[in-house]
């Protein structure tokens, strides 16, 4: 089940975030998105009552952005990341966004394969985007109701 994230989910969400990312959001970052950022929406994926992943989006005017997408390593390779990606895209389509944008490490082959599979294209390379090792990021986009 995918459902809106609550403050009660933050310990599990933050544990997944720290597990997977060298440069990760703080628990306060998630709190801000949940309670103060009017453009943000966060969702969790539950399996047997356990939060195993999450996806964050922002919707500003006609532009959607995927801010986070993560599945705990114990649950990877089972289609949950794809399920959450499609959930986020469908939500943004219903909300009349014209395009979806995201950033991804150039070395994240699994994520890139997923995004290419679902029609995302590389718009540009953001040099030294990640602060932990100054790795580049691809800015990717997918038209969902307009043009990019």
């Amino acid at each position: 089940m995918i459902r809106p994230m609550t403050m009660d989910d933050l310990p599990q969400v933050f544990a997944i975030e720290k597990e997977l990312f060298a440069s990760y959001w703080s628990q306060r970052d998630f709190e801000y998105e949940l309670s103060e950022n009017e453009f943000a929406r966060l969702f969790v994926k539950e399996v047997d009552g356990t939060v195993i992943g999450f996806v964050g989006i922002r919707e500003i005017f006609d532009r959607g952005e995927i801010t986070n997408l993560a599945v705990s390593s114990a649950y990877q390779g089972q289609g949950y990341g794809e399920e959450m990606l499609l959930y986020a895209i469908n939500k943004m389509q219903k909300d009349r966004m014209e395009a979806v944008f995201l950033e991804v490490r150039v070395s994240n082959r699994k994520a890139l394969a997923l995004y290419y599979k679902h029609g995302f294209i590389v718009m540009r390379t953001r040099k030294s985007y990640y602060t932990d090792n100054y790795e580049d990021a691809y800015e990717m986009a997918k038209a969902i109701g307009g043009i990019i």
Side-chain angles (χ1 to χ4, degrees), residues 16-73:
I16 295 167
E17 178 81 359
K18 281 181 65 175
E19 169 197 356
L20 298 177
F21 302 112
S23 180
Y24 54 85
W25 280 24
S26 70
Q27 191 159 329
R28 176 66 191 120
D29 292 331
F30 285 102
E31 290 169 0
Y32 173 80
E33 292 291 288
L34 278 174
S35 63
E36 299 176 49
N37 187 345
E38 66 182 290
F39 303 109
R41 307 287 178 269
L42 294 112
F43 305 92
V44 294
K45 170 67 181 175
E46 278 187 334
V47 173
D48 298 326
T50 300
V51 172
I52 60 98
F54 58 90
V55 61
I57 64 174
R58 290 186 189 138
E59 297 177 330
I60 302 172
F61 301 111
D62 59 357
R63 176 187 166 117
E65 180 182 4
I66 296 175
T67 57
N68 317 73
L69 177 61
V71 175
S72 176
S73 59

Side-chain angles (χ1 to χ4, degrees), residues 69-138:
L69 177 61
V71 175
S72 176
S73 59
Y75 291 88
Q76 290 182 4
Q78 299 176 51
Y80 296 125
E82 184 171 29
E83 180 185 0
M84 288 188 298
L85 175 65
L86 293 175
Y87 183 92
I89 292 169
N90 289 335
K91 168 88 172 92
M92 288 185 263
Q93 283 177 316
K94 288 177 186 172
D95 292 345
R96 301 186 185 275
M97 299 296 106
E98 292 189 2
V100 179
F101 294 82
L102 58 83
E103 285 95 17
V104 60
R105 286 180 187 268
V106 298
S107 65
N108 191 341
R109 299 293 170 218
K110 284 199 277 187
L112 286 167
L114 177 63
Y115 300 143
Y116 286 134
K117 176 181 176 181
H118 290 284
F120 283 82
I121 60 170
V122 173
M123 301 297 291
R124 68 181 175 137
T125 301
R126 299 183 81 170
K127 296 291 185 187
S128 303
Y129 182 77
Y130 293 97
T131 58
D132 63 314
N133 65 355
Y134 302 103
E135 183 176 359
D136 296 347
Y138 290 135

